[in-house]
Amino acid sequence: MQALPLAIMAFILYLGAASWQGLTLLRRVPQRPAMVRALGLLGLLFHLPVALKLIDQSPGLMPGLSTSAVFLTAIMVVLLLAVSMAKPVLNVAVGLFPLSGLALLLAVGLPSPERTGGMTPGIALHAISSALAFAVMAIAAFQAVLLGLQNQALRHHHTRGVVQVLPPLTTMERVLFELIWSGMILLTLAIVSGFIFVESMFSQHLAHKTILALAAWVIFAILLISHHVLGWRGMRAVRWTLGGYSVLLLAYFGSKFVLEVILNRT
């Protein structure tokens, strides 16, 4: 089956799940978490074949921009569906599912350049830990956005609408920091394994990615330490989370965009 029909079906299913969850936040429809997860899972079943096909076409250390986007968003969806069974994070689907669908549609129109070369176990560890770290931090970033909206609404004494649907503020904050801690463990593993197993970092255009990943690690480390020692929370935690994730986003996709789209280099 061609990639475009798969991408379209995944986008429709993701959009349906996100729309229902969004209407739930607006209190327009009743909560149906099982239905939202089911639609998301069906979307993932159409998403994965496209991701696997693109990965098969570009098996090198640094897959292209579109391949990376499709692969990472697939991991985000898997993690969100899994974590939502135990933690109240399903509202993140409002932003994550449509983003995943758009990544698929763009990948069909902007295929990644082909690459050659296999992966050693060490490189595989680096690639997998990097992808998981990015995915967990992405979910944390979406959680931070919802926490920020909730915080602002409560500050202005708006207790209806979205605030009534979201979990209590303390629960939202606890889940945010749990996600950041998990992401930091994975990000640390990714950085350490990169230094150990990745060779010729400068020739592979990986130096700037590593520097930005380290900068993101420092930002998240400061946030976690300050939360534990100084009690940072609320909007300060939201801003630092989004700031750290922005740097991580540049690390993963900024260099790829410059090299492949602006400079037209592989």
Side-chain angles (χ1 to χ4, degrees):
M1 193 173 183
Q2 296 298 315
L4 181 58
L6 291 172
I8 292 174
M9 286 300 301
F11 179 75
I12 292 172
L13 289 164
Y14 283 149
L15 190 62
S19 297
W20 187 275
Q21 194 63 27
L23 290 172
T24 298
L25 284 174
L26 296 174
R27 298 179 61 82
R28 302 292 177 83
V29 296
Q31 297 190 45
R32 295 284 188 270
M35 184 187 74
V36 172
R37 291 191 190 96
L39 289 173
L41 181 59
L42 288 173
L44 182 64
L45 294 178
F46 287 101
H47 187 151
L48 287 175
V50 180
L52 293 175
K53 180 179 179 181
L54 290 172
I55 289 293
D56 183 61
Q57 291 175 347
S58 54
L61 173 60
M62 276 188 74
L65 180 65
S66 57
T67 300
S68 297
V70 171
F71 177 62
L72 288 171
T73 51
I75 293 178
M76 291 178 204
V77 173
V78 171
L79 286 176
L80 177 61
L81 292 174
V83 174
S84 70
M85 300 296 292
K87 301 290 182 180
V89 296
L90 192 58
N91 291 316
V92 169
V94 174
L96 180 57
F97 282 177
L99 178 65
S100 300
L102 286 173
L104 277 170
L105 293 177
L106 289 174
V108 173
L110 183 65
S112 290
E114 292 189 3
R115 298 179 184 274
T116 58
M119 281 192 181
T120 65
I123 295 299
L125 173 64
H126 170 69
I128 292 170
S129 58
S130 296
L132 288 173
F134 182 86
V136 172
M137 289 304 192
I139 296 174
F142 280 111
Q143 177 78 0
V145 171
L146 291 172
L147 177 62
L149 293 174
Q150 185 181 28
N151 201 290
Q152 288 295 327
L154 291 175
R155 282 187 177 185
H156 293 87
H157 307 290
H158 297 158
T159 57
R160 296 185 179 275
V162 174
V163 176
Q164 289 180 296
V165 180
L166 291 173
L169 190 65
T170 53
T171 301
M172 293 284 287
E173 286 186 343
R174 186 184 72 249
V175 171
L176 173 63
F177 282 102
E178 288 174 353
L179 288 167
I180 294 174
W181 269 112
S182 300
M184 276 290 285
I185 294 171
L186 291 164
L187 185 58
T188 302
L189 178 60
I191 292 172
V192 171
S193 61
F195 277 115
I196 295 174
F197 297 112
V198 177
E199 299 178 358
S200 304
M201 186 175 295
F202 286 92
S203 64
Q204 296 187 56
H205 311 295
L206 295 176
H208 44 278
K209 177 182 177 181
T210 303
I211 293 171
L212 287 170
L214 285 169
W217 188 95
V218 170
I219 292 172
F220 285 121
I222 292 173
L223 172 59
L224 291 175
I225 293 171
S226 298
H227 172 68
H228 180 73
V229 176
L230 303 176
W232 281 14
R233 55 181 7 99
M235 292 306 298
R236 179 172 289 177
V238 169
R239 287 191 291 268
W240 277 75
T241 301
L242 295 179
Y245 183 69
S246 297
V247 176
L248 199 60
L249 192 64
L250 285 174
Y252 277 74
F253 289 108
S255 58
K256 294 179 186 293
F257 180 81
V258 172
L259 288 171
E260 295 180 22
V261 179
I262 297 178
L263 300 180
N264 195 27
R265 295 167 62 182
T266 61

